[in-house]
Amino acid sequence: AQTVTQSQPEMSVQEAETVTLSCTYDTSESDYYLFWYKQPPSRQMILVIRQEAYKQQNATENRFSVNFQKAAKSFSLKISDSQLGDAAMYFCAYRRAVSSGSARQLTFGSGTQLTVLP
Amino acid sequence: DSGVTQTPKHLITATGQRVTLRCSPRSGDLSVYWYQQSLDQGLQFLIQYYNGEERAKGNILERFSAQQFPDLHSELNLSSLELGDSALYFCASSVALHMGSSTDTQYFGPGTRLTVL
């Protein structure tokens, strides 16, 4: 079974600075997808960024980028120019690549609570 | 706004009771997923439906059941409720135009907060 580990329960960053959240995963599969979701105090789960394992290029979305190290099974999220609105719980998630009829559920890490200091 | 709707937002009930949570997926999405978020268990997958058929089961208790209707909305039924069932229940949907599609991303609804007293 796949597992996702987030070893940093809490992190803080100064506004306008850069922070990196860590995530490692364990899988025996070679093709899969990785995601970062953000959960602000409203509790809504918001997709931040996704990465396909077959792509060597790291995904970026505006101020958010990932460092995907497939051999190390590591998938970290970098937030640049941190803003107060970035304060939230961040979840790393794994989903296997699927063939017809296969399940598509997400396996989540335990989350990292990010505080942004003004 | 993800386009996924869930009702009700909050639900308070007593042990032993039965409740139904409802989810409407984004327009055009055929797959619906249910997740439970609790303090001790984190975010856990419960069950997935695709175009009315059950596709995968996770850590779903026998007291829980779900279905997806012809209009693609889904309901999660929780019965014989216990204190430990108190949690935030999320529904997510994805396109999954056909089960061979591998690029769909799951979008989450706002969740239903269930409190069992």
Side-chain angles (χ1 to χ4, degrees), chain B residues 36-103:
Chain B
Q36 179 194 59
Q37 184 178 28
S38 61
L39 282 175
D40 54 345
Q41 299 286 339
L43 263 163
Q44 288 199 98
F45 167 71
L46 296 178
I47 196 164
Q48 174 200 353
Y49 278 83
Y50 171 74
N51 203 20
E53 293 184 4
E54 181 185 305
R55 284 294 182 172
K57 263 186 175 179
N59 298 320
I60 187 166
L61 300 172
E62 285 191 12
R63 300 183 285 109
F64 296 2
S65 65
Q67 54 184 327
Q68 186 180 28
F69 295 87
D71 67 351
L72 301 177
H73 90 272
S74 178
E75 292 181 356
L76 179 66
N77 301 295
L78 315 177
S79 61
S80 302
L81 285 167
E82 302 175 357
L83 296 177
D85 298 328
S86 295
L88 187 55
Y89 291 85
F90 284 108
C91 168
S93 74
S94 67
V95 176
L97 292 173
H98 54 84
M99 288 304 287
S101 170
S102 60
T103 58

Side-chain angles (χ1 to χ4, degrees), chain A residues 51-110:
Chain A
Q51 174 79 42
E52 293 87 345
Y54 63 86
K55 288 187 177 178
Q56 292 189 337
Q57 187 173 9
N58 289 322
T60 63
E61 286 287 343
N62 301 312
R63 298 182 295 106
F64 299 87
S65 61
V66 299
N67 184 5
F68 173 49
Q69 301 288 328
K70 191 172 183 179
K73 296 180 181 174
S74 170
F75 182 60
S76 60
L77 175 69
K78 186 171 85 171
I79 306 174
S80 303
D81 186 26
S82 296
Q83 300 176 0
L84 294 177
D86 295 333
M89 180 74 89
Y90 286 81
F91 292 96
C92 179
Y94 168 100
R95 199 205 86 196
R96 55 191 292 237
V98 295
S99 57
S100 180
S102 298
R104 298 163 175 262
Q105 67 265 31
L106 295 167
T107 300
F108 287 92
S110 55

Side-chain angles (χ1 to χ4, degrees), chain A residues 37 39 44 50 95 104 106, chain B residues 99 101 104-106 108:
Chain A
Y37 281 87
Q39 188 177 41
Q44 175 79 49
R50 60 174 277 163
R95 199 205 86 196
R104 298 163 175 262
L106 295 167
Chain B
M99 288 304 287
S101 170
D104 60 316
T105 293
Q106 293 179 31
F108 282 73

